[in-house]
Amino acid sequence: MSSQEEILSDGRFSCIARDPRFWEMPEKERKVKIDKRFRAMFHDKKFKLKYTVDKRGRPVNYTSTENLRKFYALSESDSDLSESDSKELTVKKKKKKKAKGKGEADS
């Protein structure tokens, strides 16, 4: 097998190095940016499917949310909001658990 440089130095294939159709996609542009309206699809049960076999019948163990995270990303400003929202939700859940625990102890 020839190395990549030898192939690109060949006159028949030299245009491939300059043609943007054959360039590797930049990391920033690989994922589709979505806004905060659709951020629920990352954690909502309606969007979660658990696969046991792949399209060729081989056993696998992954969910559709992994694919969503692979192909979609929240937009820059929305991702900051979602991080702060998730922190607020965890704080609220902790407060509710503490309140339930105190309520049960009082009765």
Side-chain angles (χ1 to χ4, degrees):
M1 294 286 302
S2 301
S3 67
Q4 188 72 13
E5 294 88 23
E6 292 175 8
I7 293 172
L8 294 177
S9 65
D10 189 356
R12 298 173 292 172
F13 304 111
S14 62
C15 64
I16 291 176
R18 295 184 305 268
D19 195 348
R21 292 180 294 175
F22 301 108
W23 292 349
E24 189 173 341
M25 188 173 234
E27 190 72 32
K28 292 180 181 178
E29 297 176 11
R30 285 188 187 160
K31 294 184 177 184
V32 176
K33 303 283 188 214
I34 57 173
D35 59 359
K36 64 181 180 181
R37 296 176 293 165
F38 303 104
R39 72 175 173 218
M41 71 185 210
F42 290 114
H43 56 80
D44 195 0
K45 290 181 182 178
K46 294 178 185 176
F47 290 96
K48 187 173 184 176
L49 295 174
K50 184 169 174 58
Y51 298 114
T52 56
V53 294
D54 66 354
K55 64 182 180 181
R56 294 178 182 89
R58 293 180 294 216
V60 294
N61 188 19
Y62 65 91
T63 60
S64 60
T65 54
E66 294 169 4
N67 284 339
L68 291 174
R69 293 190 189 282
K70 182 178 177 183
F71 296 117
Y72 298 103
L74 289 172
S75 61
E76 298 280 332
S77 60
D78 296 334
S79 62
D80 296 336
L81 291 175
S82 66
E83 291 173 3
S84 62
D85 290 344
S86 63
K87 289 178 184 176
E88 291 174 7
L89 287 174
T90 56
V91 170
K92 288 180 182 178
K93 287 180 182 179
K94 289 180 182 178
K95 287 182 181 178
K96 286 182 181 180
K97 286 182 181 178
K98 288 180 182 178
K100 285 183 181 179
K102 289 179 181 178
E104 292 173 358
D106 291 340
S107 11

